[in-house]
Amino acid sequence: MMGRILQRCLPFLFAALLAACSTAPVQYQNPVIHADYSDPDAIRVGDMYYLVSSSFNSAPGLPLLQSPDLVNWTLVGHALQQQVPLDVFAKPQHGKGVWAPCLRYHDGKFWIFYPDPDFGIYVMTAKDFAGPWSAPHLLVGGKGLIDPTPLWDDDGQAYLLHAWARSRAGFANVLTLRRMAPDASRLLDDAGKIIIDGNKLPKYTTLEGPKFYKRDGYYYVFAPAGGVEFGWQSAFRSRSIDGPYEDRIVLAQGSSPVNGPHQGAWVQTPQGEDWFIHFQDKRAYGRIVHLQPMIWRDGWPLIGEDVGGAAGQPVARYRMPVSGHAKAAPPTSDEFNGSKLGLQWQWNANWQPSWYALGDGKLRLFSQSRTGNLWDVPSLLLQKLPAETFTVTTKLDAGGLSDGGVAGLVMYGSDYIWLGTRRNDGRTQLALVSCYKADANCHEQQEAGVDLPSPQVWLRMQVIAGGVTQFSYSADGVKYTPIGAQFTAKMGRWVGAQMGLFSSGVGGHADIDYFRVAP
């Protein structure tokens, strides 16, 4: 009897389950970008969302990403092709250069305010987000001025809020307000006013990264504190632009596995829903990008999952802000078939066109002379690590290297390792070479090596959780042989580890057929 009832009911139960699934909201999973797009700032213009991030010493700098739904992001270019001053950034300036930028849309154009902690705050504009962008204009010079954020007020007045780097200014943990010309050509005061002082707030350290907004008659400053790895996101509000400001912690790690969730941007959809983009410091993987839902309660934002207090905690999954768009992510692989390098590539310093050539479906890297290890070599061609686990395969032809030249595939950070070729007396040798504490002038050490039957070799790098990296090689592109022990990738100065290619020596070149990245 029971069996017949179940048999009759099952089709209806299945139909009900199918209907429930079909109406369930589509969800995204954090992080939305598992790559080092540090200190993200984002805005919406029309139905499109735009994002910029720090780029430090890399060139081109100031990556430009856009998305139709805040989850699927496409890299469309870089605002800064070469860093200024040009001569300073002709060699790697690790941890310097472009710190946390601010992106805005005002008066019919896009604006980027970016700080260089050693030179001051620069402004760039563009009619089209993908560029071209104007040359950087030095709005205000000085050491230690960081994390600028402008606000054009309802009465036509313009302001700039910024933080301070203790390493340059001798103090930090405060936010300073300046009056600014509406066209951002100059500041209108001789000295600013500290409007938020973290030193006067319990447990506040490293207050920085502000973003300035206005809503319902309140001035709001969204700013992180507590440090990159273990901090939180705060909000400050005042009826007067110069304070006093109330404060509230609005996002913290809580019981989630997401450490230090902070520094980012409040974005609103055309339908009036609120979201918050921020980063999580993941050491060798860099500062990866998360998206949190956000609501307003009693005039204060609450970001992430509501766990019953003033501060939310990060969500692992949540419904899509906008559904129906194709999956997208910044590029990784490059077949080198085009006339330009893929947008994912950045050099270790300001680059020269003479360093490379593209043709016949190959990348030719012309060997650049160097002394010492790779830490201060500008001509490294690098990109961000794209996921927790992945595999890179590349085919290299070392036949064009001069005697003593080397070229290869590198996992790069303050510790690094590379697998590549050496040319000696017309013979090609494979070498696995490491350098621990590269930023402290370590000497390269060969971990393993074999003679190769020809100048052509396939190189492979497999990365698993924690940045643990295993190299292997092949003489035919089919059978791969592991070489050396595992290596744990290590971050650089304020950036995650990077992967890429290099060729060094006196004269000569190496040809790379492709650079393929797979899950």
Side-chain angles (χ1 to χ4, degrees), residues 407-441:
L409 173 67
V410 63
M411 175 64 84
Y412 184 71
S414 56
D415 296 341
Y416 69 77
I417 191 168
W418 59 263
L419 178 64
T421 55
R422 297 186 191 273
R423 290 286 283 176
N424 286 310
D425 298 325
R427 295 181 300 111
T428 304
Q429 298 172 319
L430 186 74
L432 181 70
V433 175
S434 65
C435 198
Y436 291 86
K437 299 188 185 303
D439 52 346
N441 299 315

Side-chain angles (χ1 to χ4, degrees), residues 39 66 172 178 333 341 378 395:
D39 312 312
Q66 67 183 46
R178 304 292 302 269
S333 299
L341 288 168
K395 182 183 177 185

Side-chain angles (χ1 to χ4, degrees), residues 67-396:
S67 170
D69 57 14
L70 287 169
V71 172
N72 296 289
W73 291 93
T74 302
L75 181 64
V76 297
H78 293 82
L80 193 62
Q81 291 304 306
Q82 301 273 13
Q83 295 213 53
V84 294
L86 295 175
D87 57 338
V88 172
F89 288 97
K91 61 181 181 180
Q93 301 290 339
H94 296 282
K96 302 180 182 181
V98 178
W99 284 23
C102 184
L103 176 65
R104 291 292 179 263
Y105 187 80
H106 171 73
D107 196 25
K109 56 189 173 183
F110 294 93
W111 304 67
I112 294 176
F113 290 70
Y114 81 86
D116 182 312
D118 296 300
F119 294 98
I121 293 170
Y122 294 91
V123 182
M124 305 173 70
T125 61
K127 286 288 187 181
D128 183 356
F129 180 69
W133 285 78
S134 64
H137 164 67
L138 186 61
L139 171 62
V140 53
K143 282 187 173 292
L145 290 78
I146 59 170
D147 305 347
T149 176
L151 188 141
W152 288 272
D153 211 343
D154 304 329
D155 60 1
Q157 300 295 308
Y159 300 88
L160 184 77
L161 186 67
H162 69 84
W164 295 89
R166 189 182 304 277
S167 58
R168 274 73 165 184
F171 65 94
N173 207 32
V174 299
L175 304 180
T176 297
L177 182 68
R178 304 292 302 269
R179 293 187 61 242
M180 182 179 72
D183 62 357
S185 60
R186 67 194 190 281
L187 297 183
L188 302 180
D189 51 20
D190 296 326
K193 175 184 178 181
I194 294 174
I195 60 169
I196 302 175
D197 187 344
N199 300 301
K200 296 179 180 179
L201 300 173
K203 299 182 180 180
Y204 269 70
T205 59
T206 323
L207 177 63
E208 58 186 2
K211 294 296 182 288
F212 219 169
Y213 306 106
K214 194 173 185 182
R215 177 184 184 271
D216 292 343
Y218 275 105
Y219 296 91
Y220 287 91
V221 176
F222 285 44
V228 168
E229 289 189 66
F230 307 108
W232 62 86
Q233 179 69 34
S234 286
F236 302 82
R237 73 175 189 180
S238 175
R239 290 288 187 182
S240 173
I241 195 167
D242 57 0
Y245 281 81
E246 307 170 81
D247 71 284
R248 178 174 290 188
I249 295 175
V250 294
L251 174 67
Q253 179 173 355
S255 61
S256 82
V258 181
N259 59 296
H262 66 226
Q263 188 148 339
W266 165 35
V267 182
Q268 193 174 68
T269 69
Q271 293 74 34
E273 287 191 337
D274 299 294
W275 299 84
F276 185 74
I277 290 176
H278 67 93
F279 75 75
Q280 173 198 8
D281 187 283
K282 205 170 175 182
R283 305 298 289 174
Y285 296 98
R287 300 174 185 179
I288 63 177
V289 182
H290 289 242
L291 176 67
Q292 304 297 334
M294 176 177 141
I295 61 172
W296 289 89
R297 181 180 292 164
D298 300 325
W300 290 98
L302 186 149
I303 300 173
E305 179 187 0
D306 185 354
V307 288
Q313 68 180 24
V315 299
R317 300 178 65 89
Y318 203 77
R319 64 171 174 80
M320 290 283 295
V322 182
S323 60
H325 292 279
K327 290 186 177 299
T332 52
S333 299
D334 200 337
E335 296 294 320
F336 304 119
N337 289 329
S339 59
K340 295 180 180 180
L341 288 168
L343 293 174
Q344 66 269 35
W345 295 109
Q346 294 175 289
W347 301 93
N348 206 26
N350 280 345
W351 53 279
Q352 300 293 332
S354 59
W355 289 352
Y356 75 100
L358 289 163
D360 299 324
K362 293 181 174 60
L363 166 67
R364 175 162 291 181
L365 285 179
F366 295 101
S367 300
Q368 306 299 313
S369 61
R370 65 166 165 133
T371 57
N373 64 47
L374 293 178
W375 186 249
D376 289 321
V377 171
S379 56
L380 304 185
L381 185 60
L382 303 168
Q383 61 171 284
K384 306 172 192 305
L385 306 190
E388 177 86 21
T389 62
F390 60 93
T391 299
V392 176
T393 305
T394 187
K395 182 183 177 185
L396 185 149

Side-chain angles (χ1 to χ4, degrees), residues 8-24:
R8 291 174 182 174
C9 290
L10 276 174
F12 299 100
L13 290 171
F14 180 75
L17 181 62
L18 192 64
C21 290
S22 65
T23 57

